[in-house]
Amino acid sequence: YIITKRISDGSEVYHRLIELIIFRDYNLIEAERVLTSSTDKRKPWGLITGQLRVTGEKGLRLNSEVRYDTYNNETSYLSADLEKKISDIGSLKLSYRRTIIPKISYLDAAIKISPFKFLKLAYTTRYSSEEDLFLESKYGILFKHQCWEITLSYSERIIPREN
């Protein structure tokens, strides 16, 4: 399902505002599989997946996805990304991810700034709410000139101990 907006400034342009996609997989092999015991059950249906994309005219964008497992009656995956473009000089992005198996829940934040056409600066960090610590920080510089570019980056990662 898609909702668009017509922008008329001399030429007809359609701007996609909202896009909603819902789908579910079906496994034909699992549907025809021979059961191995009386407690064995066929599970031919995959996860119900919903994707929502909302795009604003001023550089604001939201992408989200949810996956629901009807056999276990639980949301197995959830993600949401919110991004704001700041004119031609950069962008700010916040992301959230959560899964059940393995149990992961983290928040990403990124900022990109381009003070000049040949230079881009970036910073990204990832925070784990499960571990209550910052897992990763990444710093980057991109130099671009005509047909070549050089990227320099530095990463700090913390790997939590396993119990």
Side-chain angles (χ1 to χ4, degrees):
Y1 186 73
I2 298 173
I3 297 175
T4 60
K5 177 182 177 185
R6 188 171 78 182
I7 303 169
S8 182
D9 59 350
S11 63
E12 297 292 321
V13 176
Y14 286 90
H15 177 72
R16 184 176 287 185
L17 296 174
I18 299 172
E19 181 177 355
L20 176 64
I21 301 169
I22 299 174
F23 60 92
R24 188 172 192 186
D25 297 329
Y26 186 79
N27 186 334
L28 295 172
I29 296 171
E30 175 66 15
E32 298 296 322
R33 179 178 62 88
V34 176
L35 299 177
T36 58
S37 70
S38 60
T39 58
D40 189 16
K41 295 184 180 179
R42 291 185 185 101
K43 296 182 179 180
W45 289 100
L47 304 174
I48 297 174
T49 302
Q51 297 174 339
L52 176 67
R53 293 183 185 103
V54 180
T55 306
E57 293 179 34
K58 303 290 183 190
L60 187 64
R61 187 174 65 204
L62 170 72
N63 291 327
S64 62
E65 182 173 333
V66 176
R67 298 178 194 156
Y68 184 77
D69 186 347
T70 55
Y71 296 113
N72 295 327
N73 291 323
E74 66 183 3
T75 302
S76 62
Y77 177 80
L78 172 70
S79 73
D81 299 331
L82 180 64
E83 184 174 5
K84 170 69 175 156
K85 293 202 183 223
I86 306 164
S87 306
D88 292 336
I89 63 166
S91 65
L92 176 65
K93 184 175 182 179
L94 297 172
S95 303
Y96 177 74
R97 303 276 182 275
R98 183 177 76 81
T99 63
I100 299 297
I101 300 173
K103 191 168 185 175
I104 297 172
S105 179
Y106 63 85
L107 180 68
D108 278 343
I111 186 165
K112 296 177 184 175
I113 299 171
S114 183
F116 308 105
K117 291 191 181 230
F118 65 89
L119 178 67
K120 290 184 183 179
L121 307 171
Y123 172 72
T124 305
T125 187
R126 179 176 292 162
Y127 174 78
S128 171
S129 58
E130 294 293 323
E131 302 288 334
D132 192 26
L133 59 90
F134 285 91
L135 297 174
E136 181 178 28
S137 292
K138 194 183 291 185
Y139 308 87
I141 299 173
L142 175 97
F143 297 100
K144 187 174 185 178
H145 182 70
Q146 294 177 353
C147 63
W148 60 269
E149 62 185 45
I150 297 172
T151 302
L152 302 171
S153 65
Y154 173 74
S155 297
E156 295 176 340
R157 290 188 182 158
I158 297 174
I159 300 172
R161 287 187 225 150
E162 305 233 342
N163 295 336

